[in-house]
Amino acid sequence: MHYLITGGAGFVGSHLGEELLQRGHHVAIIDDLSTGTIHNIRHLKTNPRFECVIDTCANRPLLAELVDGADVIFHMAAAVGVRLIVESPVRTIETNIKLTELVLEAASKKRKPVFVASTSECYGKSLEIPFREDQDLVLGPSSKGRWSYACSKLIDEFLAIAYYRERGLPTVVGRLFNTVGPRQTGQYGMVVPTFVKQALSGAPVTVFGDGQQSRCFTHVRDVVRALILLMDRADSYGEVFNIGNTEEVSIHGLAEQVVQRTQSTSPIVLVPYEKAYEPGFEDMPRRVPDIRKIQRLTGWTPTLGLSQILDDVIASFR
Ligand code: UDP
């Protein structure tokens, strides 16, 4: 099979490309290197089944040609990371909405199946735990920049579903829950690489708020398996799926585990949200996926727990 991955030099995209190549497929990626890096795909470049295009999906004729050569498209190109979103909301909103429009439009002309990467951020401040794909979403006001990310991704979801229902384009939406693993950068605020870097360098480990907020971290290797399973079957088309681990940890608990597993002497310090992000910043207290839908359909289940995730990330930074 021939796969096209937009954002293929990014964190998740590069792991997905690697897995597909390992399975004997052909992989083309397109990435503008805005948050992805050549370093993420350097080890794939010698593979004769790998094609790498450094450009933007906004280059319509080029995108059309790449779509033409693909059997399936994984649309992973997006602006991600809470810090990036808070600091550059225009870029986040425009990137996320425009690129998805262009990819779906190009795919629709050739009727090529598309996976659209979405996020658990869409559930917003909902307290209805665990989050189910068909539950109501609770977002904050538009005056708070963070929520623009969830809104932009929700537009992507609406578009993907609309293309399926109105135009018959096979589309699948996956809501990824805090995906982590080797090659993820802490540059855009993600907590696991940030904590690991801090602990390994002996710097204070910065827990935002009181650290009682919790997350479920999912190993990127589990995530890419889920994406491939979903695109391998037609009964996932037109549907939204949670993709995440159900093992919940508080952010303070995460900091303690990172310090312990790196045998670091770093202190754990609490940083108020307004200092970490912006005044009035709203966090999500908990975020736990209900994964029965993807399990029922594909049999997928996460296999790598938090300790394995941390060990892999720590090893990659060392
Ligand atoms: N966080 C933290 N210290 C950091 C970076 C993040 O305490 O240096 C917290 C953040 O406030 C959130 C959680 O860790 O509660 C996860 O943050 P991340 O940005 O990785 O993902 P999010 O779940 O917010 O999308």
Side-chain angles (χ1 to χ4, degrees):
M1 292 268 281
H2 285 73
Y3 290 91
L4 170 63
I5 306 175
T6 71
F11 163 55
V12 182
S14 66
H15 281 275
L16 177 60
E18 190 174 321
E19 178 64 25
L20 290 167
L21 287 169
Q22 257 166 31
R23 295 184 187 199
H25 299 295
H26 291 256
V27 174
I29 68 146
I30 176 166
D31 201 303
D32 66 0
L33 301 184
S34 52
T35 54
T37 67
I38 285 289
H39 180 73
N40 285 343
I41 47 163
R42 190 166 285 146
H43 60 299
L44 307 178
K45 284 179 107 178
T46 51
N47 190 318
R49 285 179 280 108
F50 182 68
E51 181 192 355
C52 168
V53 178
I54 304 303
D55 207 324
T56 162
C57 298
N59 182 340
R60 274 192 158 121
L62 175 67
L63 180 66
E65 201 175 307
L66 289 168
V67 164
D68 222 13
D71 301 308
V72 174
I73 300 150
F74 285 100
H75 176 45
M76 312 301 291
V80 290
V82 178
R83 174 148 302 139
L84 181 65
I85 289 146
V86 169
E87 284 169 7
S88 315
V90 172
R91 176 172 161 200
T92 306
I93 299 165
E94 289 192 349
T95 306
N96 291 354
I97 296 177
K98 272 189 192 159
L99 297 190
T100 305
E101 277 174 6
L102 291 170
V103 169
L104 289 171
E105 185 189 38
S108 177
K109 285 186 185 144
K110 302 285 174 174
R111 304 196 82 74
K112 300 287 173 79
V114 187
F115 174 86
V116 174
S118 185
T119 167
S120 56
E121 179 86 8
C122 289
Y123 291 101
K125 298 184 278 186
S126 173
L127 298 173
E128 234 182 287
I129 299 281
F131 295 153
R132 232 181 47 198
E133 290 87 347
D134 58 357
Q135 80 185 49
D136 288 344
L137 310 171
V138 187
L139 303 185
S142 52
S143 55
K144 300 199 168 160
R146 159 175 212 154
W147 302 114
S148 65
Y149 178 47
C151 278
S152 66
K153 279 294 177 185
L154 279 168
I155 291 290
D156 290 353
E157 293 195 5
F158 279 119
L159 258 183
I161 294 168
Y163 262 96
Y164 174 72
R165 291 188 183 158
E166 208 179 310
R167 310 252 169 108
L169 178 70
T171 59
V172 180
V173 173
R175 290 184 180 154
L176 275 53
F177 280 68
N178 291 78
T179 305
V180 287
R183 299 207 286 269
Q184 185 178 39
T185 160
Q187 208 180 333
Y188 306 106
M190 277 81 166
V191 69
V192 169
T194 302
F195 281 3
V196 168
K197 247 198 277 180
Q198 289 168 334
L200 287 176
S201 66
V205 174
T206 53
V207 170
F208 299 162
D210 63 6
Q212 293 314 300
Q213 72 275 28
S214 69
R215 294 292 186 271
C216 293
F217 294 97
T218 318
H219 199 298
V220 67
R221 286 216 306 274
D222 276 331
V223 170
V224 301
R225 255 192 330 107
L227 306 194
I228 297 167
L229 279 170
L230 285 172
M231 293 314 283
D232 263 356
R233 49 193 312 139
D235 50 2
S236 57
Y237 296 160
E239 297 288 333
V240 177
F241 296 91
N242 287 336
I243 301 170
N245 207 312
T246 51
E247 183 184 349
E248 192 178 7
V249 63
S250 75
I251 297 302
H252 202 283
L254 174 75
E256 288 165 16
Q257 286 198 43
V258 169
V259 167
Q260 188 218 330
R261 297 189 99 83
T262 50
Q263 296 172 318
S264 170
T265 52
S266 290
I268 297 173
V269 298
L270 298 184
V271 179
Y273 282 121
E274 58 271 25
K275 260 197 165 164
Y277 297 111
E278 61 179 356
F281 179 84
E282 292 180 317
D283 202 1
M284 303 171 70
R286 292 177 71 195
R287 209 189 243 174
V288 184
D290 181 329
I291 53 172
R292 283 176 297 176
K293 188 171 174 184
I294 186 171
Q295 276 177 331
R296 262 197 314 269
L297 198 77
T298 68
W300 177 81
T301 198
T303 55
L304 302 165
L306 186 60
S307 47
Q308 177 75 55
I309 290 172
L310 293 181
D311 287 348
D312 281 4
V313 175
I314 292 164
S316 74
F317 273 103
R318 275 190 169 133

